[in-house]
Structure formats: C-alpha cells, structure tokens
Amino acid sequence: MRDFKETLKNCLREEPPFCSCACPFGLDVRDLISRLQRGSFNSAYRLFQNTVGFPAIVAQVCHRPCAAACIRKEKDEAVLLGKLEQAAVAYAANRRPNQYQLPAKGKKIAIIGAGPGGLACALRLTARKYEVVLYEKTNRIGGCLWDLLLPEQFLAEFELQLMYERYELKLNCEINDLATLTADAIYIATGPEGNRFGFCGAAGASRQDGIFLGGGEQPADAIATGLRMAGVIEAYLKTGLMRQPETRKTTRLVMDAAAIPFAPPAVTDGPLTRDQAVQEAGRCLKCQCDACLKHCDLMRYYGKSPGRIEEEVEVTIHPGTLDGNGTVATRLIASCNHCDVCKNVCPQGIDTGAFLLQSQRSMQEKGAMPWPFHDFWLRDLEFSNGADCALVRPAAPGERSSYFFFPGCRLGGSDPRYVTESYRYLLSVEPETAIFTGCCGAPALWAGDQALLQSTIEQIRRQWLDLGRPIAVFACVSCRNIFRQFLPEIESRMLYQVMEQHGFQPPVTAAETARLAVFDPCQSEDDPELHRAVRVLTEKAGCRIADEAELPLCCGWGGQVSIANPPYFAQVVRDRAARSELPYLTYCANCRDVFAGAGKPAYHLLDLLFALNRHTGREAAYRRAPTASESRQNRRLLKKTLLHEFFKEEAPMSENRLPLRLSPQTAEKLQRDLILLEDVEAVIRHCEASGEKALDESGLCFGHLQIGQMTFWVAYRPTADGFCLENAYCHRMSLGGE
Ligand code: SF4
Ligand code: SF4
Ligand code: SF4
C-alpha cells in the first residue's frame, strides 16, 4: 500500500499547464479560464491583478510566450490569452486594488529606476508597508512604456494600483554611487541598458548583502521580476539571508494533441465582447492530466482522482488515522472492474486498479469487507470446480496431451455448444487436445480471497502436470490473464488465433449480420494480434466491421461488482451498450451475456464461427442472457455432453430437482436478486421435511433457511404436481439463532 503512495509521486495531476510555465508571472491560467467561462469578469480580474500587479499594462504589453506554449495550437490556434486578459480588465466592474491595514515595517528600501520593473517592486513592498524611495534619473516614470503605450493608459494604471500606498518618488535624481544611499536594501531596476553599478549576472540577489538586481528584456519580464524580487527582498529583511528567487516552474505534463477537438477562435481581430470572451475561454483545454479520470468509470462515477482514492482507502483500511470509521471507501474498493484501463491510459503507468485489488485483499484479510459483496460469486466458483461441472480428461485415456482446452466457466454457462463445438474443432486440428473445464479462480482474485485463489491455482497446476504439461488454449481473455499471472510456466494460445492460423473458414452468412461493432474485452488491451485474428475471422464470416478504434473496455462484469454496487454496474453497462448503435460482436461470454441482459443485440464470435443461435435471422443477437440458474444448468449439461459425445460415458446425475413452477415475473425477480432456483428448492424441501413453515388462510406457505451465510425466504404453494413459487428473497446476512 505504501508503494502506491510512492508511485503517486509520479502522478502528473498537479503539474501546471504549458502556458502557466511559459508565463513570466506563472499565471494560474486554468483558474483564470474557469472564472471567465463562468462569465465572472470581476473575479478573473482579481486573480489577474493579484498575479501581475499592473493588469491593464500587462494585458497590453505582454509578449505572450503562453501562446507559443499553448498545446491548442497543435490542432488549430493557441487560446487568445492576451485578449482574454484584456477582456478581464475591460469588463471588471471594480478595478480598485485591495487596501491592507498592516503595521509599518520600519525598514527602508531604495529602488533605482521608476520603470515598470521598479514600480512593480515598489507596489509589492509598499503594500506590505515597507518604506520605499524610488530614484528616477529622468523627469517621468514608466521607462520603456512610453515607447509602447499611450501615457494615459499606463500612468492611470500606476496611479490606480498604487492609490492606497505611500512611497517617495525622486525624479531627475540619478544615482551614480550606491554608497550615497541610506537604505536597508537596494533594488537596481535600471533596465537592460542602465547602470548596473559594477554588478553583473541575471536578476536576483547580488554578491553584496542588501543589493538586488532587476532584469528582463521585455516589459512583462521586468514587471514579473520586480514582483518576484519584492519577495526576495522581504525575506532578506526578515532573515538577513541573500537568497535567489525561485526558478520558474517547468511541467512534466503530457497531452495527446491528436485528441484535441478542432475549435479555432471565432474572432481574432479587435477586443472581445463579453460573450466572445466566454466563448474563447471555452476553447481552453485547462490542460491537466486527467487520462485516468476520463477513461476509468469508477473514478468518473465517484469523481475522485487516484490521489483522493488513496487517501480514502488509507483511512478505510487503517481506521483511526483520520475520521476513523473505517468504511469511507469500502464500496469504492469493491467496485473496481479490474479492467486495467487506468494503467493503460496513464502516461506514468500508475495502476490504481492494482492498488484497489490489494486494498480488497487487506480488507478481506482483516474481515472488514462485507462478505455478501462476493459470496454469490465464490459459491459459483465452488460450483464450477465441483463434481457437477469440472472435467479434466486427456483426448485419449493414458495418452500424453499436447494441448488442453480451458474454456473457463462462463463460456459453457452461456451456451454449452460454444465449448463442445470449439473442442470438436480443436481435436480436428490437434487430436492430442485435452479438455479442462472449471473456473480459473477470477472470483477469488476479485474478492481478495488469497487462500481460495491459491488453492484453485494449485489444483489447476496439479491437473496440468498430470496431463503432461500441455499448452493451454483459452477462449476467455480473463482466464488467460489469470494463468499468465499465477501459472506463468503454462504456455498458452487463444482459440481464435489458433483458428485463424489454421485457416478456419466459417460459414458465410453475412446477410444476417451485415455490420457489427467489435467489442474487445478490457483484458485484451495488450494483444493486438488477438484483435487482428478476431477481425479476420469475422470478415471471413461475411460481416463488415465498423471499427471505431476504441480502447478495449470492461462491459461491467469485471470485478463482479454487480452486487457490491448495483447502480454503478447498471451505469457502466448502459454506457457501454450505447457506444454503438450496431449489434456488438464480442469474444467474451460475459460481455455477450451482460449486453444481452441489458437488451443490447450482441453476438459471441463463436455464434458466427459455428453458425450457432442463428437459425432465425438475428436471433443470436437477441438471444437473452441465461439466468444465474440457467447458467448453472448449462454448465451441468456441458459436462454431461462432453462425457457423452467425446468420451462415450454417461455422467452420474447428482441432481434431484423439485417440480417447481414460477411466473416469468418471479423468475425475473430471482435473477435480479441473484437467487438460484436450487436454493429456493432447498428451502422448500427443508420446510416440507421439517414442517418449519407458516401458512396463511389461502394456503400460501412461508419459510426460510440459512444456506452458507445467506438466509433465503420463500412463499410457495403446494400443487397437485409439485409446488408453485410465489415469491422469494434473501438476506445477504446470517441470522443469529432461531
Ligand atoms: S489550452 Fe489552455 S491551459 Fe492548455 S496550454 Fe493552452 S491556454 Fe494553457
Ligand atoms: S482497473 Fe478499471 S475500474 Fe479499476 S480503477 Fe482501473 S480503470 Fe478504474
Ligand atoms: S493518468 Fe491519472 S494517475 Fe496517471 S498521471 Fe494522469 S492523473 Fe496521475
């Protein structure tokens, strides 16, 4: 966990934008722009005034290094910051400076030169109530500004900004020897051609105590230096130390210029009206690293950056450090889809998902993560790897296997034929292919259950060794990634790449699925070869692909967040489904079923390749997602079919189903609440056997049973041929005693 805090030091979120770094004053352009976008000219003016001292002058004479640095010019034209500054000055209702009632400091500063730099330094020091004497060799103040602006423009500004300050101005007073001055500090602001009194070097503290040098080729630079040196002089007066001013900020920010939307300025000549200023401010990107916030659903949903997430997770895992209630980010931790998008889009490779997974593990280890968040999925893992579903067989008894097909638990749960047809194909190209059904352990990983994950991985490793160390063939990217991470010794291929390499020719049925949008699963990000193979096979099937070059994204399934955070899950699914109006083509069974469950037409690639679910036109696209109970049934059926078709064996049936009827509405409710029919049946059996049930006057029976840590309640009616289920619900909690 400490590592992540360290890693966050590389985060670019707080890096200044390019323009601010180029600005002689380091103006906070993002803040200025935000105020202008709101049409708050007064507030924009106040920020500008506080930063540049003489806003009306700077807005006119600044040489605009910000424009040269502005990233927007890579796309069209730099943001017109100069005109925006002028608009802030022009439309501010109150331009008077603030008046500060501070005690006099009793220290005297001599400033040589009443040009813009000297006056800027005087402005800051007099505001802090130092005694300032300005020596000007000519008969007028303003220096180089006389060559650049009309006198009424800058003289009025000096008068305005210094209106509350007292200082002594000595015109026609040339200083030739610093020793003639009586002062606690001296600032030499004589301009590029002026007398430097034997000091050389850049603006800053000189080699002699109490003497400071101004500088700047451009008037804006001179003003910025004057303001900065006022701070350096004040520090000297307080501490006696001759420090140099801070160097100007640089930025590590990186922005993708290609992603900037085209938006040239509406007006380039003349001053901006108020509306034009607001519009122009809208062109600013307010450059800040936000790649993760933009792409990660979770960060967007909670409106939290990785830094903020780290803080909240810290007080959740170590309560007592701040607010101490230990639950601040529990749900947030359990809502990560583990899609790796944050890591992939971050220019610094910061992996917030890995941090959340680690946090989930910590919470789980200390028993602080609410168990209902993952209980259903952990039971599902147990079921997939139990006697009803799991099957490990070499192609021929006693033979060594060169390959093994690991379809994962979800593929057969969606449609058992996805697995049987794929296995049939694999045997046709490589007869020494074993079959290995079961769950890879992803639910344990996502639940942070290390012990269960380890035992699942160990079980897989033992069976792989028994098979003679064959190469794995995966149909699911998540399974492959789990193997890569925890069983790196197992070499692997993706089924679709094997098919493409062997020149698999799918039946051409383009008329039914003319155009499709490919939805690459999130965990395939690092596999362009897989993306290519999928597209080749899809086109061979006669489909045209509308490729939007999208980042592979999570359909919502990742992390199994649907119980931990239902509104978030629903939002992610909605967002994904809306990304294209076309039917989706996926090669992840979870993606297909999630989209089908949300009413989005979606094909699994295997639908096309084996002409499954396609007998009535676009039926596959609309094939509804199996319910949780149907998914279990499908997995049972898969084992039975594999044994029967490929090994000529009959599966011993462990099932003993209760004759139970239920309405489509009740079935929908069970699915919504992820209640399995077999759990409902267990409650009814228990109630009937024990008599522990209540009856109402209509004969409706009510009863409950705790299964694992969950308590299920049912309302059912005995019928002539079995039972009719009227309602069911569950507490994702256990009851403490009857
Ligand atoms: S787009 Fe805006 S924030 Fe970014 S560099 Fe340009 S002016 Fe600065
Ligand atoms: S893994 Fe995915 S959901 Fe989790 S923080 Fe990263 S981008 Fe967000
Ligand atoms: S993408 Fe996010 S985590 Fe990465 S540097 Fe940018 S703000 Fe920081």
Side-chain angles (χ1 to χ4, degrees):
M1 311 293 277
R2 298 258 171 265
D3 291 352
F4 188 64
K5 207 175 176 61
E6 274 302 302
T7 312
L8 278 181
K9 289 185 181 155
N10 298 326
C11 175
L12 306 176
R13 182 92 185 131
E14 302 306 324
E15 288 292 303
F18 312 102
C19 50
S20 294
C21 291
C23 171
F25 302 90
L27 177 65
D28 187 342
V29 173
R30 288 190 300 234
D31 195 359
L32 180 81
I33 290 288
S34 298
R35 297 172 194 221
L36 289 170
Q37 284 175 343
R38 296 195 300 271
S40 305
F41 292 94
N42 267 336
S43 148
Y45 172 78
R46 199 56 64 189
L47 170 74
F48 188 49
Q49 180 194 41
N50 288 339
T51 309
V52 305
F54 300 118
I57 296 172
V58 173
Q60 294 297 333
V61 301
C62 183
H63 52 294
R64 311 276 174 250
C66 55
C70 177
I71 183 114
R72 181 161 256 305
K73 77 175 187 322
E74 315 266 319
K75 179 61 85 168
D76 36 59
E77 277 186 57
V79 176
L80 305 176
L81 279 171
K83 286 189 183 296
L84 288 173
E85 292 167 3
Q86 288 161 13
V89 173
Y91 303 127
N94 174 16
R95 294 184 45 221
R96 292 160 83 91
N98 290 327
Q99 193 173 8
Y100 299 102
Q101 304 296 340
L102 299 173
K105 296 290 189 329
K107 300 268 183 183
K108 185 171 171 182
I109 299 105
I111 298 178
I112 307 172
L119 284 162
C121 188
L123 176 72
R124 280 284 187 272
L125 290 171
T126 53
R128 289 166 197 165
K129 306 306 170 202
Y130 289 94
E131 195 182 323
V132 170
V133 183
L134 271 159
Y135 299 91
E136 169 56 43
K137 72 175 181 182
T138 69
N139 64 351
R140 60 191 192 180
I141 63 168
C144 63
L145 296 177
W146 287 88
D147 301 329
L148 301 169
L149 298 174
L150 297 171
E152 56 270 28
Q153 286 178 300
F154 64 88
L155 291 177
E157 176 71 348
F158 288 142
E159 197 176 329
L160 175 72
Q161 302 303 338
L162 286 157
M163 65 187 288
Y164 297 125
E165 312 307 341
R166 287 169 169 273
Y167 62 97
E168 192 179 344
L169 174 62
K170 296 193 175 193
L171 296 174
N172 300 311
C173 184
E174 182 167 9
I175 303 297
N176 293 309
D177 181 359
L178 297 182
T180 60
L181 299 173
T182 312
D184 297 293
I186 298 171
Y187 183 51
I188 300 169
T190 47
E193 309 299 328
N195 185 355
R196 303 277 282 179
F197 302 94
F199 294 103
C200 52
S206 79
R207 61 181 184 276
Q208 189 175 325
D209 277 3
I211 298 181
F212 301 87
L213 307 175
E217 290 292 319
Q218 304 285 341
D221 289 331
I223 294 173
T225 305
L227 297 173
R228 204 172 300 126
M229 289 309 297
V232 174
I233 292 168
E234 185 176 33
Y236 165 74
L237 294 173
K238 285 180 176 169
T239 66
L241 296 173
M242 291 291 282
R243 293 212 176 98
Q244 295 300 339
E246 280 181 17
T247 50
R248 287 246 297 274
K249 280 190 181 159
T250 54
T251 185
R252 296 178 300 151
L253 191 61
V254 275
M255 300 265 297
D256 179 8
I260 299 172
F262 190 70
V267 180
T268 48
D269 291 333
L272 302 173
T273 63
R274 287 168 189 270
D275 288 348
Q276 286 167 341
V278 171
Q279 193 185 338
E280 181 59 23
R283 292 181 62 239
C284 175
L285 306 161
K286 296 203 267 185
C287 297
Q288 183 174 31
C289 189
D290 64 352
C292 54
L293 277 129
K294 199 153 71 193
H295 292 284
C296 165
D297 300 290
L298 186 69
M299 294 186 210
R300 256 206 329 272
Y301 183 81
Y302 282 101
K304 289 175 183 163
S305 65
R308 181 80 191 283
I309 288 177
E310 192 278 333
E311 283 167 17
E312 293 193 3
V313 168
E314 176 65 17
V315 297
T316 304
I317 294 181
H318 302 114
T321 46
L322 259 182
D323 77 343
N325 71 14
T327 58
V328 183
T330 307
R331 198 176 297 277
L332 184 152
I333 292 171
S335 299
C336 174
N337 288 122
H338 302 299
C339 56
D340 285 351
V341 164
C342 50
K343 178 182 72 180
N344 293 331
V345 298
C346 174
Q348 301 293 90
I350 293 171
D351 192 346
T352 308
F355 166 68
L356 288 172
L357 189 59
Q358 213 181 343
S359 311
Q360 170 93 22
R361 208 172 288 155
S362 302
M363 292 288 280
Q364 163 81 17
E365 276 163 10
K366 63 180 202 161
M369 185 53 77
W371 64 264
F373 283 1
H374 285 276
D375 183 71
F376 178 87
W377 308 113
L378 295 179
R379 285 181 67 207
D380 204 59
L381 182 157
E382 194 184 353
F383 170 76
S384 291
N385 287 346
D388 281 357
C389 304
L391 177 69
V392 186
R393 285 286 162 92
E399 291 289 320
R400 193 186 157 276
S401 302
S402 308
Y403 293 88
F404 72 102
F405 180 37
F406 191 92
C409 54
R410 310 311 305 178
L411 192 69
S414 180
D415 185 334
R417 294 171 305 165
Y418 290 154
V419 178
T420 51
E421 294 314 300
S422 301
Y423 187 44
R424 206 183 312 284
Y425 169 75
L426 285 171
L427 286 174
S428 75
V429 292
E430 178 46 71
E432 288 179 353
T433 302
I435 183 82
F436 193 156
T437 65
C439 174
C440 63
L445 174 74
W446 289 334
D449 191 332
Q450 276 296 91
L452 181 58
L453 176 64
Q454 276 315 317
S455 66
T456 307
I457 295 294
E458 277 318 306
Q459 174 78 358
I460 294 173
R461 183 181 283 115
R462 270 197 305 277
Q463 286 164 329
W464 171 69
L465 289 172
D466 288 349
L467 287 172
R469 301 169 185 260
I471 296 169
V473 179
F474 295 110
C476 165
V477 193
S478 297
C479 295
R480 182 199 61 182
N481 289 0
I482 293 258
F483 272 60
R484 274 184 180 171
Q485 194 179 347
F486 299 104
L487 293 159
E489 63 273 38
I490 302 184
E491 200 184 323
S492 68
R493 314 256 189 281
M494 284 301 290
L495 170 68
Y496 317 108
Q497 283 166 291
V498 173
M499 293 175 102
E500 198 257 324
Q501 280 155 9
H502 280 88
F504 180 82
Q505 180 57 59
V508 177
T509 46
E512 295 171 15
T513 51
R515 274 183 85 218
L516 298 168
V518 177
F519 189 90
D520 293 301
C522 50
Q523 301 226 354
S524 70
E525 159 70 22
D526 60 349
D527 202 342
E529 261 312 294
L530 172 61
H531 296 167
R532 190 193 62 77
V534 165
R535 283 155 178 78
V536 169
L537 289 170
T538 307
E539 282 174 0
K540 272 187 167 186
C543 301
R544 277 193 300 127
I545 298 169
D547 239 335
E548 294 94 18
E550 286 251 19
L551 200 68
L553 293 169
C554 178
C555 61
W557 180 271
Q560 289 174 324
V561 306
S562 61
I563 294 174
N565 199 339
Y568 169 68
F569 171 70
Q571 181 167 312
V572 174
V573 176
R574 262 198 316 275
D575 173 66
R576 295 296 180 273
R579 284 187 170 236
S580 172
E581 297 197 330
L582 294 171
Y584 280 155
L585 175 83
T586 79
Y587 42 102
C588 166
N590 292 325
C591 295
R592 200 224 75 95
D593 289 349
V594 164
F595 290 132
K600 169 83 181 174
Y603 294 91
H604 194 286
L605 178 59
L606 296 172
D607 286 322
L608 301 190
L609 303 186
F610 297 124
L612 300 173
N613 302 312
R614 296 168 55 84
H615 34 277
T616 54
R618 285 159 51 111
E619 184 183 294
Y622 297 98
R623 180 172 73 87
R624 69 173 177 77
T627 63
S629 296
E630 286 165 344
S631 166
R632 283 203 169 193
Q633 269 309 98
N634 284 344
R635 280 174 275 171
R636 284 193 184 95
L637 179 63
L638 172 62
K639 178 170 180 178
K640 200 171 157 202
T641 310
L642 285 168
L643 282 173
H644 178 76
E645 285 191 24
F646 296 92
F647 304 101
K648 310 296 172 228
E649 288 178 37
E650 295 311 316
M653 285 307 295
S654 65
E655 262 199 300
N656 174 20
R657 304 306 303 264
L658 206 63
L660 184 67
R661 278 189 291 112
L662 64 164
S663 68
Q665 292 74 20
T666 310
E668 197 184 314
K669 180 176 189 301
L670 295 193
Q671 174 59 11
R672 207 173 41 241
D673 297 346
L674 284 178
I675 297 175
L676 297 170
L677 272 177
E678 55 203 72
D679 289 334
V680 169
E681 289 169 19
V683 185
I684 297 175
R685 270 199 200 92
H686 163 76
C687 294
E688 291 300 304
S690 66
E692 287 175 9
K693 58 180 178 179
L695 267 84
D696 73 5
E697 60 285 356
S698 74
L700 191 63
C701 306
F702 300 90
H704 71 271
L705 178 66
Q706 185 170 335
I707 302 174
Q709 303 198 63
M710 195 88 79
T711 302
F712 294 87
W713 300 78
V714 296
Y716 66 97
R717 208 178 285 283
T719 61
D721 54 354
F723 299 92
C724 177
L725 181 70
E726 302 262 326
N727 201 357
Y729 56 98
C730 64
H731 291 303
R732 298 202 184 275
M733 61 197 267
S734 55
L735 297 182
E738 295 288 309

